Amino acid sequence: MDCADRFAVGGCVQHGRAGLAGVFAHRYGPGVSGVVIAEIIPVLLLASFAGPLVDRFPRVTVMMAADLVRAALAFSLPFMAGSVFAVYAVAFGLSAGAVFFNPASQSVLPSLVRERDLVAANSGLWTAAVVSQIVLAPLAGVVVAAFGYDWAFWINGASYLASAAVLLRLNVPAGIAPAGRSSWYREAREGLSVLTGHRLLRALAGAQFLGALSAGATGALLVVLAREHLQLGEADYGLLLGAIGVGAAIGPLILSRLTDNPRQAGFVLGPFVLRGIVDAALATAAGLVPAIAALVAYGLGTSTGAVTFNSLLQAETPERLRGRIFATFDMLWQSGRLISLLAGGLIADIFGIRAVFYIGAVLLFAAAWAGWHGLRKDRANRQ
């Protein structure tokens, strides 16, 4: 699930779980709201353009270009102190770079490994990203405390340059050349037509959207649940986030020992069910220890689900259409997330915070059913 959840695909912690609650300006303040919107809107605006571009040009070149643009934006941040508009513009630009980078990177991996190695490869990428996030987050605090925010931004910019340098040495086999160059509109329409006409891809798209409708609100409002229902303090909330990180880090390590088949329904859709159970448990149970145990399980479900879902999508999508399909899934995720963020605040205000998590659980169970139905029908058609 691209951009999947309390943790996004690739292991990055979702854009500030507590901060995302800022979407509801009357309660959390307009500042974070603008940054979150600036991160989501580029996906909705540019995904339909990014997909055809990724399928037209060498994907590694697209990734490098995105890294260089994001490096320039990160280096510019120290010179924009005091300008809220500039911060929003940079957030918009960084997200826009990811709109092109993410589908390109998802499309490249199946060209480098066999289908039976996709689960192991995605597991390794996920674990490396999560572990580095866990290790580097405290180091970032040390850098800020010792040298100031400017150095943190410059190091971030340097990381994009390092990524581009590594990609420069990546040798990707040539893909299938397009039969003929057509208009952007025709190429975008072709990708959408394939998605809607392919039973399994259509089912996975439905599962992706339902999962986003759940995760946007529950991810943002976990801090509210911790305070109002679980009666936890700020330090305890940090333990909850750490519990998710632990589960997310070890999940792929376990998964890669259990299966190398990206088409096993239980491993692809079981994590939706697990995360639904956790959301219901969080809304029902009380206390720090049960919440920590539940969120370790959530991290396991999120990480293993992201790995298997992406692996299946990579295995099932035709090579020449991967950029368009992955960009569309990104757009589905972010649109569902935005709707969820907006609706979640209203539901919490009217019915209480626990209702948000109960509804989130129902949506995740529905996502599992949608995916299972599609997998079952697809398997029947192939027999």
Side-chain angles (χ1 to χ4, degrees):
M1 293 173 294
D2 188 28
C3 303
D5 224 313
R6 289 191 172 101
F7 281 78
V9 170
C12 300
V13 175
Q14 188 191 31
H15 306 290
R17 175 190 293 271
L20 283 179
V23 166
F24 314 111
H26 68 282
R27 182 179 292 180
Y28 303 101
V32 175
S33 237
V35 173
V36 172
I37 297 300
E39 291 171 346
I40 293 177
I41 294 300
V43 181
L44 305 184
L45 292 177
L46 298 175
S48 59
F49 172 75
L53 185 143
V54 168
D55 287 334
R56 278 190 180 193
F57 297 100
R59 287 159 181 162
V60 172
T61 302
V62 173
M63 295 164 66
M64 291 174 58
D67 273 339
L68 293 175
V69 169
R70 291 185 291 178
L73 290 169
F75 281 122
S76 71
L77 271 172
F79 305 102
M80 297 180 179
S83 174
V84 175
F85 175 80
V87 172
Y88 289 163
V90 169
F92 184 98
L94 291 173
S95 182
V99 175
F100 294 89
F101 185 95
N102 291 339
S105 64
Q106 297 282 0
S107 301
V108 162
L109 186 61
S111 300
L112 299 173
V113 301
R114 300 174 305 166
E115 180 176 311
R116 301 292 296 199
D117 294 326
L118 283 172
V119 172
N122 280 307
S123 294
L125 290 172
W126 177 283
T127 300
V130 170
V131 171
S132 65
Q133 191 85 1
I134 293 172
V135 171
L136 293 177
L139 290 180
V142 172
V143 170
V144 170
F147 305 105
Y149 286 100
D150 289 358
W151 274 96
F153 293 133
W154 289 331
I155 292 173
N156 190 34
S159 71
Y160 286 118
L161 293 179
S163 173
V166 171
L167 289 171
L168 184 62
R169 301 177 62 86
L170 184 63
N171 185 21
V172 179
I176 300 174
R181 186 67 57 87
S182 60
S183 69
W184 162 84
Y185 172 75
R186 287 181 179 274
E187 292 182 358
R189 190 177 65 178
E190 180 190 12
L192 186 61
S193 176
V194 169
L195 176 59
T196 56
H198 191 295
R199 188 187 301 274
L200 179 54
L201 293 180
R202 186 172 65 243
L204 292 177
Q208 171 91 327
F209 187 70
L210 289 168
L213 287 177
S214 168
T218 57
L221 297 176
L222 178 63
V223 62
V224 180
L225 184 82
R227 184 179 66 241
E228 296 183 1
H229 170 59
L230 300 175
Q231 302 294 309
L232 302 178
E234 292 183 3
D236 295 331
Y237 179 70
L239 293 176
L240 299 186
L241 295 184
I244 299 172
V246 170
I250 65 177
L253 299 177
I254 298 172
L255 176 67
S256 60
R257 293 178 177 272
L258 296 176
T259 184
D260 63 355
N261 183 1
R263 301 178 187 275
Q264 286 188 276
F267 288 105
V268 176
L269 303 172
F272 282 105
V273 176
L274 175 60
R275 285 157 40 213
I277 292 171
V278 169
D279 275 352
L282 287 172
T284 304
L288 178 60
V289 173
I292 288 177
L295 288 172
V296 169
Y298 196 100
L300 281 165
T302 299
S303 59
T304 56
V307 167
T308 53
F309 191 97
N310 273 352
S311 298
L312 175 57
L313 196 56
Q314 288 165 337
E316 193 65 29
T317 304
E319 194 278 337
R320 67 182 185 85
L321 293 168
R322 284 183 189 138
R324 279 164 281 183
I325 297 300
F326 278 106
T328 302
F329 271 74
D330 283 353
M331 185 167 59
L332 285 171
W333 176 261
Q334 293 295 3
S335 59
R337 177 178 166 227
L338 181 59
I339 294 169
S340 179
L341 286 167
L342 297 174
L346 296 175
I347 293 170
D349 284 344
I350 297 171
F351 300 105
I353 186 60
R354 295 170 67 191
V356 174
F357 282 76
Y358 283 129
I359 293 172
V362 171
L363 288 167
L364 286 167
F365 295 146
W369 180 88
W372 175 82
H373 184 70
L375 276 169
R376 182 173 62 86
K377 290 289 188 181
D378 181 72
R379 184 174 299 169
N381 288 341
R382 294 189 185 204
Q383 290 177 347

